[in-house]
Amino acid sequence: MTNQSSAKALDGGWGWVIVVASFLCQFLAYGSPMSVGVLYPEWLDTFGQGKGMTAWVGSLVSGIGLIASPICSACVTNFGARPVTVFSGVVVSGGLMLSAFAPNVQFLIFSYGIVVGMGCGLVYAATVTITCQYFDKHRGLALGIITTGTSVGGFVCATFQQVLVELYGLEGCLLIMGALALNIMACGGPMRPMNFPQYFLKQKAALERTTELKKDTHHEKPPIKEESINKNTLSVEKGLTVSDTKDPLSSENSFLGRSSFVKIIKNNKYTYSKYIDMTAELLQDRVFVALCMAIFLFDIGAFPPVLFMEDVARSSGHSDGTCIVPLVSIVAFMTGVGKLVLGILTDCKFVNSLYLYTFTIVGSGIALLITPIANNYAALAVLSGVLGFFSGNWSIFPYVTTKIVGMDRLTHAYGILMFFGGFGIVLGPPVVGWIYDWTESYDLAFFFSGACVLLAGFSLLLAALPCWDKLKEDHSRPDIKYTSNCDKVASVA
């Protein structure tokens, strides 16, 4: 696709087909992981493990894909969004079906936490990358729509999985969810690439080189020299073959030089060094480093409510069974609303996306600190909605990243940020579960989560203040005493 045609394709046309396909991919992939809070009490009763140990399943399914974001981004860059999406459908479906036969929590950590989590990471990287390629002016709205798929999936699948568990048991529920996840492969079909992936370009260049070599060998046959013929005849007369005259060390070196592993290292040496240099350059940016720490602390504190909110109501005696909609569904529904609203707000010229993202973090921290004070189910439902709405800041996170590092370095920077966020998601629920096992109460656990989230918000706000740039400019500019207008013009020049 040429630059002219790709420019015409931006912000419309086939881009909206990409949005629908990406929405369905995230809906199918994240439906069960986003509503894992419904399965969490079932796993506690089935396997009889502690809350901290069982929480690894829910934390890994959301965190492992983020930790592997650099690998997922590299796969999308090299192979394209369509093949990665089709492959991820197989991974997610296989992990869910395999989890139906889990004999213990350890096996469930691998099948549901790692395998399904890795498939979700591939889906997220593919859908976000191709949507950013197709949209420029309405990128915030497009990202808000596709990332809403995770929230709608969590809202629908929370009640759906609850019904499936009652009808077919835990095993039947996971088998049916795995069968539905196979539709991700069909959703990957419309993801027509805006630009050819690097793997295709390399294969095309290699094919062109081989065709040129074949043409040269057919048209230009080198003449046979008499000296080579005489040497071969002499060696045959002496009872020696040509291969016997070669040095064994030289043959071993040629074997190593032709090995595929060595060739891969040699060919990608420049790519690896460029990746390391770009990473070091990004880590020198003050706001980017603060954003890495903010998403790490935010995910430590803000993700556990998605997993534990239903168990919080049951443990505190507020869940009396009168509410039809689970708290997990309320969190997922309001997350979808937040993604849409925040995505629309980022497209407004008068809104600073970085400050808006910081506001959502601080709001989540305050809601987490209030959660232990809630004394009835209605209060927990309201706080679940508030936490879900502010958790919708995931839709504007790629937008904020683009504003900080630029579109050219989005994929690279986003992979690094998701790496930090993945570690936060992986560590958050087990820590909260261990605090409950230690204190037999969620109060201290939610105070800890709220403190982490507030620290994330205030640290990012402090790093994003424009006064730091003014101080840097004042220190970098030397004091110049002007004696006349001519000296002033000369110094400026």
Side-chain angles (χ1 to χ4, degrees):
M1 188 177 288
T2 60
N3 294 331
Q4 186 176 1
S5 62
S6 62
K8 291 181 180 179
L10 287 176
D11 295 302
W14 195 255
W16 294 113
V17 179
I18 299 293
V19 169
V20 174
S22 300
F23 174 87
L24 291 175
C25 284
Q26 295 203 14
F27 174 87
L28 294 168
Y30 283 89
S32 181
M34 286 296 293
S35 57
V36 70
V38 174
L39 301 177
Y40 178 73
E42 300 294 331
W43 288 329
L44 286 173
D45 297 336
T46 302
F47 300 111
Q49 296 284 342
K51 296 182 186 295
M53 185 66 180
T54 311
W56 279 107
V57 182
S59 64
L60 283 173
V61 73
S62 298
I64 199 69
L66 300 181
I67 293 175
S69 286
I71 300 174
C72 298
S73 301
C75 290
V76 176
T77 303
N78 284 279
F79 301 104
R82 181 187 290 166
V84 172
T85 304
V86 173
F87 176 73
S88 65
V90 179
V91 176
V92 173
S93 176
L96 288 171
M97 292 182 178
L98 192 63
S99 300
F101 306 99
N104 48 49
V105 174
Q106 287 77 13
F107 187 88
L108 200 63
I109 288 173
F110 167 75
S111 60
Y112 195 96
I114 297 178
V115 177
V116 177
M118 192 68 187
C120 291
L122 291 170
V123 169
Y124 193 84
T127 52
V128 167
T129 300
I130 197 168
T131 303
C132 288
Q133 290 176 357
Y134 269 85
F135 286 89
D136 184 21
K137 294 181 181 178
H138 304 293
R139 185 177 296 151
L141 175 61
L143 289 172
I145 293 174
I146 67 165
T147 53
T148 306
T150 62
S151 304
V152 176
F155 173 74
V156 174
C157 292
T159 306
F160 185 57
Q161 286 190 134
Q162 206 170 32
V163 173
L164 288 177
V165 169
E166 294 176 359
L167 294 177
Y168 305 105
L170 188 59
E171 295 81 4
C173 171
L174 292 172
L175 286 174
I176 293 173
M177 294 302 298
L180 292 175
L182 283 173
N183 292 285
I184 298 173
M185 301 171 65
C187 296
M191 293 185 179
R192 187 172 62 197
M194 178 73 74
N195 301 311
F196 292 116
Q198 292 183 4
Y199 178 78
F200 177 81
L201 296 176
K202 290 178 182 178
Q203 292 293 100
K204 184 180 179 182
L207 183 61
E208 291 176 353
R209 284 197 299 268
T210 53
T211 52
E212 289 177 0
L213 288 174
K214 287 181 180 179
K215 290 180 180 179
D216 293 339
T217 54
H218 282 297
H219 293 289
E220 298 180 3
K221 291 184 178 180
I224 302 173
K225 295 183 180 181
E226 296 181 357
E227 296 179 358
S228 61
I229 297 174
N230 294 330
K231 289 180 179 179
N232 291 333
T233 54
L234 289 172
S235 61
V236 171
E237 290 174 358
K238 293 180 180 180
L240 297 172
T241 59
V242 179
S243 60
D244 291 334
T245 59
K246 290 184 179 180
D247 187 8
L249 290 175
S250 63
S251 64
E252 185 179 354
N253 290 332
S254 64
F255 172 76
L256 290 174
R258 293 174 185 175
S259 64
S260 59
F261 182 72
V262 175
K263 281 186 177 181
I264 290 173
I265 294 177
K266 288 181 179 179
N267 293 334
N268 296 327
K269 184 177 180 181
Y270 174 75
T271 305
Y272 297 149
S273 61
K274 186 178 179 181
Y275 184 90
I276 294 173
D277 293 340
M278 187 178 293
T279 304
E281 184 180 351
L282 287 171
L283 293 178
Q284 291 176 359
D285 190 343
R286 180 189 70 255
V287 181
F288 181 78
V289 173
L291 190 61
C292 291
M293 298 305 299
I295 190 173
F296 173 74
L297 293 172
F298 176 76
D299 287 340
I300 284 182
F303 179 73
V306 179
L307 182 62
F308 289 106
M309 193 58 74
E310 202 68 36
D311 192 56
V312 168
R314 191 176 71 170
S315 300
S316 56
H318 298 326
S319 180
D320 53 359
T322 57
C323 186
I324 301 175
V325 181
L327 292 176
V328 178
S329 295
I330 296 174
V331 173
F333 176 78
M334 290 305 297
T335 301
V337 174
K339 286 177 179 178
L340 282 176
V341 173
L342 296 174
I344 294 172
L345 285 176
T346 51
D347 287 331
C348 299
K349 295 181 180 180
F350 59 88
V351 175
N352 188 311
S353 58
L354 182 58
Y355 291 155
L356 178 64
Y357 181 75
T358 306
F359 171 75
T360 59
I361 295 177
V362 175
S364 298
I366 295 173
L368 284 168
L369 292 177
I370 299 174
T371 301
I373 308 174
N375 54 5
N376 53 51
Y377 195 88
L380 284 176
V382 172
L383 289 172
S384 298
V386 173
L387 288 169
F389 181 84
F390 287 132
S391 296
N393 58 11
W394 275 104
S395 66
I396 65 174
F397 191 74
Y399 196 95
V400 173
T401 308
T402 306
K403 289 294 183 181
I404 295 174
V405 302
M407 186 63 198
D408 296 335
R409 299 187 293 178
L410 171 64
T411 304
H412 185 89
Y414 200 77
I416 297 173
L417 288 167
M418 292 300 100
F419 179 80
F420 282 93
F423 267 110
I425 289 178
V426 169
L427 294 176
V431 170
V432 171
W434 289 329
I435 293 176
Y436 179 88
D437 293 337
W438 176 46
T439 61
E440 295 296 329
S441 174
Y442 278 110
D443 294 348
L444 184 61
F446 273 79
F447 286 141
F448 168 79
S449 298
C452 288
V453 174
L454 283 179
L455 180 61
F458 287 124
S459 61
L460 181 59
L461 179 63
L462 183 64
L465 292 176
C467 61
W468 296 103
D469 296 327
K470 293 181 180 179
L471 290 173
K472 186 176 180 181
E473 291 177 1
D474 293 339
H475 285 294
S476 61
R477 181 170 46 190
D479 294 333
I480 301 174
K481 294 181 179 180
Y482 304 112
T483 56
S484 64
N485 291 333
C486 296
D487 295 336
K488 186 174 182 178
V489 173
S491 64
V492 173

